[in-house]
Amino acid sequence: MHMNPDHYDFTLGINLTPEEQDLSVLFSGEARPYPGHKIGPSVHDFYLIHTVLEGEGLFQSGTFSAECRSGDTFVIFPGALFSYQADQDFPWHYAWVALQGIGVQELLSAVGITREQPFMHSGNVTELHSLYERIRHAFQQSAYPRLESLEASGWARLLLHQFGLGNLSALPLHPAEMPEIIDRQIDQAIRWISLQFHQQISIDHLASSLGYHRVHLSKAFKQRTGFSPKQFLLKKRMDKARQLLGSPLTIEQVASSVGFNDALYFSKQFRKHTGMPPSEYRAGLRSGE
């Protein structure tokens, strides 16, 4: 707990090791300023997000101005001239978090917050308040400041997610502009196969889980990739197998690593795919051919 002479209550948590490059929390706090308390006109070299929990106040940034009430969030961008002031009759109670990183502006834009529109009504105040508290409480000045920093940045991402849920109508991607569902399902199938090729994947089960008949999925998949799902899976496995054959792993270990329980069957498939057995392919790698 840190007291500030301009506030009834004032608490702050500070990150001792803000190292994440895309998004890092610098500090986070919460306060109940006195009536009429004003900050600015000033500039910061970091992003500063405030959410009003209750009460009222006025926020200005450049030519933008907004009267803020419970559930409203305003964002100060680096280099922007800003000021904000608590209402004289019903001064606000707010929480804030300061962020830095090369990915922050893009993340803010993804939830509908820009330099030109640095304000939004952000929805569930109770949930937002809880997330701000979790960010602030991550900084307990323990023996593991880097872990504290990782925890805080994780909660900050969830905070931005909550902003997005409360601001869906302002998000850059509107439902009418979203890709067809089948295209999204094909993307999901491609990602699934690319990440899970080492598992025993059933194309029938994959199609069923996406809500399509195997024939329909296979046709759409081939139109997108040039391969059927089965061919794409085999290609992923063989590409990885060629890579692993340059390592000290045995043929059996390579086979298992790319989803084949039977090393002999793997060898047959590898020879069919590349024109040579795994042992010969490995020998060629070692000889530099």
Side-chain angles (χ1 to χ4, degrees), residues 12-143:
L12 187 70
I14 298 176
N15 190 354
L16 301 179
T17 57
E19 297 178 351
E20 292 84 6
Q21 293 187 357
D22 60 337
L23 179 150
S24 183
V25 176
L26 296 177
F27 55 85
S28 183
E30 182 177 332
R32 298 174 182 267
Y34 287 118
H37 173 252
K38 184 178 181 180
I39 298 290
S42 303
V43 295
H44 288 325
D45 58 1
F46 48 80
Y47 299 85
L48 186 59
I49 303 171
H50 284 74
T51 296
V52 181
L53 306 175
E54 59 183 2
E56 300 176 5
L58 177 67
F59 167 66
Q60 293 181 302
S61 179
T63 60
F64 180 88
S65 177
E67 294 181 356
C68 304
R69 296 174 176 82
S70 177
D72 290 340
T73 290
F74 60 89
V75 179
I76 298 164
F77 281 73
L81 183 65
F82 70 89
S83 66
Y84 53 95
Q85 183 171 8
D87 187 75
Q88 287 286 356
D89 299 320
F90 192 21
W92 49 19
H93 167 202
Y94 50 38
W96 68 86
V97 61
L99 305 177
Q100 70 175 13
I102 58 176
V104 177
Q105 183 161 318
E106 182 178 350
L107 291 170
L108 288 171
S109 178
V111 300
I113 301 173
T114 65
R115 285 183 178 270
E116 295 72 29
Q117 182 62 33
F119 171 87
M120 61 176 288
H121 185 75
S122 40
N124 191 328
V125 175
T126 300
E127 180 64 22
L128 292 171
H129 191 191
S130 176
L131 289 168
Y132 276 108
E133 286 183 328
R134 289 178 179 274
I135 295 170
R136 190 171 72 252
H137 292 163
F139 303 123
Q140 299 299 320
Q141 298 186 11
S142 71

Side-chain angles (χ1 to χ4, degrees), residues 3 22 26 32 41 62 80-81 96 102 119 145 148 175 194 201 210 214-215 223 225 234 257 270 273 279 286:
M3 299 304 297
D22 60 337
L26 296 177
R32 298 174 182 267
L81 183 65
W96 68 86
I102 58 176
F119 171 87
E148 293 180 3
S194 298
I201 295 178
L210 294 174
R214 175 173 178 153
V215 174
Q223 287 177 341
T225 67
L234 182 62
S257 297
F270 189 89
H273 191 78
S279 56
R286 290 174 175 172

